[in-house]
Amino acid sequence: MLSDCLLIVFISICTALLGEGLTWVLVYRTEKYKKLKAEVEKQSKKLEKKKESGESSDRNQKKKIERQEEKLKNNNRDLSFVKMKSMFAIGFAFTALLSMFNSIFDGRVVAKLPFTPISLLQGISHRNLGGDDYTHCSFIFLYILCTMSIRQNIQKILGLSPSRAASKQGGGLFSPPTQLTK
Amino acid sequence: MKAATKMVKTGEKSQNGSLIKASLNKALSAEAEWDDKDEFLDVIYWMRQILGLILGIVWGLIPLKGIIGLVLFLAVNVGIVYFYYNSFQKIDDEEYGGPSEILKEGLMTSFSTFVVAWILLYSALHTDL
């Protein structure tokens, strides 16, 4: 059982690296992305500073900030659009990979959970497993957990995660890349 | 040309290394000055990841079971981070947009790291599947 667990951790490290590598080839290294990202970061920081420093009721100031916010939003949208195309490609590739792993681990209990998941999660944690013991863990549950932790950390180490200022100002549009498991 | 690029690259590397060292020194000394907010949040982030891994291993070795393990992890994790920035570093959390901004930095990732470590050790040591 331990070998299964370790294999799953290894698989998720590999897929995370592969995913980041593919995104780098398709997105991160392109001039358009670099330019847009630098712009968004600069604007976000500027906007944050402005918002912090002047809480004046000056109308002109407010209008200026609003205009900048609008510009930032547009840039953010462009940025997500650039990313989206490659995300789709990678999404398809990984769905295929995942279904392959799924069939390899089909019906196999890969680990025993030290807790009973809430009923909402039992569909995932007990997927394709027989029996009523809900502490039995399926491949997909462990894989999702591993990916959540490993992918984020790899992005952080490689410096590929979006900056805090940008994600704070950009709201929901500028979200980190979607998880592989979707 | 190639030699020049190489030199720049090694320069970058050593610069990165010294930056990490400087951040580590700051993180370990009480009431350090944090000019860059991101630097402090990064320290919190990585501290959390290490904490998640260590707690996961300890919970797996004991072994703790059930919802109490999850709740205890959250309490210890948030508690340590709160103590660290409030009492050790004496940071004004308003500068960062309230205590929740610091307390939730990297929490989800740390949680998943913890759960993976917990499950792995628990399954390996205390079950005979």
Side-chain angles (χ1 to χ4, degrees), chain B residues 82 85-86 91-102:
Chain B
Y82 185 77
Y85 88 77
N86 203 35
I91 292 268
D92 178 17
D93 50 27
E94 286 307 320
E95 272 178 41
Y96 292 81
S100 65
E101 284 297 319
I102 301 179

Side-chain angles (χ1 to χ4, degrees), chain B:
Chain B
M1 181 69 187
K2 258 190 182 170
T5 348
K6 212 178 176 185
M7 261 174 76
V8 169
K9 271 195 177 162
T10 40
E12 263 176 22
K13 247 188 192 169
S14 61
Q15 205 182 2
N16 259 345
S18 58
L19 273 179
I20 291 173
K21 250 189 192 168
S23 291
L24 206 64
N25 271 339
K26 264 200 221 174
L28 293 175
S29 47
E31 295 178 47
E33 288 242 335
W34 300 93
D35 303 321
D36 187 4
K37 281 183 191 174
D38 275 351
E39 192 188 356
F40 178 66
L41 288 176
D42 277 344
V43 166
I44 294 276
Y45 179 90
W46 288 114
M47 197 175 92
R48 272 230 155 105
Q49 304 314 308
I50 296 167
L51 195 66
L53 191 65
I54 293 173
L55 288 181
I57 292 171
V58 173
W59 269 215
L61 287 175
I62 296 176
L64 269 177
K65 274 202 269 186
I67 190 91
I68 186 96
L70 295 171
V71 174
L72 207 62
F73 162 76
L74 285 177
V76 170
N77 192 317
V78 171
I80 286 181
V81 169
Y82 185 77
F83 172 81
Y84 177 75
Y85 88 77
N86 203 35
S87 305
F88 188 68
Q89 294 286 356
K90 299 219 162 89
I91 292 268
D92 178 17
D93 50 27
E94 286 307 320
E95 272 178 41
Y96 292 81
S100 65
E101 284 297 319
I102 301 179
L103 290 181
K104 76 177 187 214
E105 175 67 31
L107 181 61
M108 207 51 216
T109 321
S110 155
F111 181 71
S112 31
T113 310
F114 156 76
V115 176
V116 170
W118 189 23
I119 293 174
L120 244 65
L121 269 157
Y122 177 81
S123 308
L125 299 178
H126 305 284
T127 55
D128 48 345
L129 262 177

